[in-house]
Amino acid sequence: MLEHADRLDLGDRFAAGRGYLAACTLGLPADVTRDAVRRDLERWSTGSASAADYSATLERARVHAAALLGTEAERIATGSQVSVFAGLAAASAPAGAEILCIDGDFSSVVAPFLARGDLRVRHVPLDALADAITPSTWLVSYSLVQSATGEVADLATITAAARTAGALTLVDTTQATGWMPADAVEADLVVCHAYKWLGAPRGAAFASFSDRAITEFTPHTAGWYSGTDPWASCYGPELHLADGARRFEVSPAWHAWVGAEAALGFAASLDLESVRRHDLGLANAFRERLGLEASDSAIVTWPDETGCDLAALTVAGLVASGRAGRARVAFHLWNDDEDVARAADAVNGSRRPLVLS
């Protein structure tokens, strides 16, 4: 368990938080995000909101997203969902191409490739992913942190194997960005939805594209926001495409991005290595109290086929989740040692044998 010096003191930035162990399901907005959404609602309702202001907000969010992923703003495309970006990769794959996925990974980085119907999609265990990459692999698609188990992929080894084989890589950092640094993720397509660990409204996602991805992927979702200047590409008959990642952009959900800009800016202002230490310290303290081995993930899961442990957490007033026959909790900025104790007591209490008098 980490020393108290490694704990963050950010609980007052969130209206809720005590007992909330579901950052991996639906995050909580920080005060700046909540206030931004409220101001936007007021401006919209009074008719003082403008498209130009929303576009400026999106550009600020793009800069924050680039900082979180360790790249330049011109390599960032904004969108609504991870599966849309993955779908662009799937639609651009040659017929018969091999796509390598993790067995049991989140559907958004798997389903678009299966839906094509003419691709060879292979699924392997997480720890076998790097070794399964061959020269016939066109793209490796995987989540950096697994949603169902919380396992963290060996990014460096997988990236090196893909480079050697000449394969493209797609990495989903939705369950990573926000609790751990993701600015060193090297992939042809890095995708992230901001509504979990980043605490943004749902409907705001972003992705970074490598030069190869920009060249080889077709912008099938091209629209008026896919040009260098969206306000100059509102009408045909010409095709207006930006030179960089913006060509993969879709028209933004303005209200969601008002909250997302504030949320991403807040996250980008934090020392994410300190956040990682804080979150892992709590997660591993909880694991220790349940008799589980320490891990490198802020998501803790364990077998709970009957749902008894999840039910015990709920009865204790804690917000948790269940996935794939496992109970799942996550520790983030608003959590502290008291949350660890309450959660551990709830689970351990549900396992004590009933003593009849």
Side-chain angles (χ1 to χ4, degrees):
M1 183 171 176
L2 294 179
E3 296 299 324
H4 185 74
D6 288 315
R7 297 285 190 261
L8 297 179
D9 186 18
L10 294 171
D12 61 349
R13 303 297 300 272
F14 301 88
R18 173 68 66 202
Y20 191 85
L21 306 175
C24 56
T25 304
L26 176 65
L28 296 176
D31 49 8
V32 290
T33 305
R34 178 198 63 217
D35 294 345
V37 171
R38 286 175 174 171
R39 288 193 301 269
D40 176 56
L41 179 58
E42 183 64 22
R43 286 195 299 265
W44 180 32
S45 64
T46 59
S48 58
S50 74
D53 288 341
Y54 284 126
S55 289
T57 298
L58 185 75
E59 292 312 310
R60 292 194 298 273
R62 189 192 309 278
V63 172
H64 298 323
L68 289 168
L69 295 186
T71 188
E72 305 100 26
E74 288 304 311
R75 292 193 178 277
I76 296 291
T78 62
S80 59
Q81 303 293 337
V82 162
S83 60
V84 175
F85 290 122
L88 290 173
S92 302
E98 178 182 278
I99 311 298
L100 190 59
C101 300
I102 294 171
D103 188 21
D105 206 343
F106 198 70
S107 291
S108 293
V109 293
V110 177
F113 302 101
L114 295 172
R116 266 283 300 263
D118 63 346
L119 301 176
R120 294 183 294 114
V121 183
R122 284 202 295 137
H123 307 267
V124 299
L126 173 60
D127 58 6
L129 186 61
D131 291 337
I133 301 172
T134 72
S136 64
T137 304
W138 184 76
L139 180 139
V140 185
S141 179
Y142 67 101
S143 299
L144 179 56
V145 178
Q146 291 294 293
S147 172
T149 65
E151 293 176 280
V152 181
D154 184 347
L155 180 70
T157 301
I158 296 168
T159 300
R163 282 178 181 166
T164 299
L168 289 157
T169 51
L170 184 163
V171 180
D172 179 3
T173 68
T174 300
Q175 290 287 13
T177 306
W179 76 260
M180 64 182 288
D183 56 350
V185 176
E186 294 185 20
D188 294 288
L189 180 57
V190 182
V191 296
C192 181
H193 200 301
Y195 78 103
K196 293 180 183 287
W197 298 90
L198 293 167
R202 186 167 170 82
F206 53 92
S208 70
F209 288 76
S210 70
D211 288 339
R212 182 179 173 188
I214 292 172
T215 299
E216 295 188 20
F217 292 175
T218 302
H220 291 286
T221 56
W224 74 284
Y225 229 84
S226 303
T228 301
D229 176 7
W231 303 105
S233 54
C234 293
Y235 305 101
E238 293 85 6
L239 173 63
H240 305 276
L241 288 178
D243 292 332
R246 294 169 187 251
R247 62 175 46 205
F248 303 106
E249 202 121 279
V250 295
S251 181
W254 281 333
H255 307 296
W257 278 102
V258 168
E261 188 275 327
L264 298 181
F266 175 68
S269 73
L270 300 175
D271 178 354
L272 288 179
E273 181 55 37
S274 294
V275 174
R276 186 188 72 85
R277 290 196 301 268
H278 168 83
D279 290 8
L280 284 184
L282 296 175
N284 281 330
F286 176 73
R287 287 186 177 96
E288 182 178 359
R289 294 187 61 156
L290 260 63
L292 303 173
E293 292 184 1
S295 172
D296 58 353
S297 179
I299 301 174
V300 185
T301 74
W302 64 96
D304 185 32
E305 291 289 348
T306 64
C308 290
D309 288 348
L310 179 57
L313 290 165
T314 303
V315 169
L318 303 165
V319 180
S321 57
R323 293 292 186 275
R326 303 177 70 85
R328 186 178 70 165
V329 299
F331 295 89
H332 201 27
L333 301 172
W334 47 80
N335 296 124
D336 58 19
D337 294 316
E338 184 176 332
D339 290 313
V340 171
R342 288 180 61 196
D345 289 346
V347 174
N348 288 329
S350 73
R351 298 174 177 178
R352 293 192 187 105
L354 180 63
V355 178
L356 300 177
S357 58

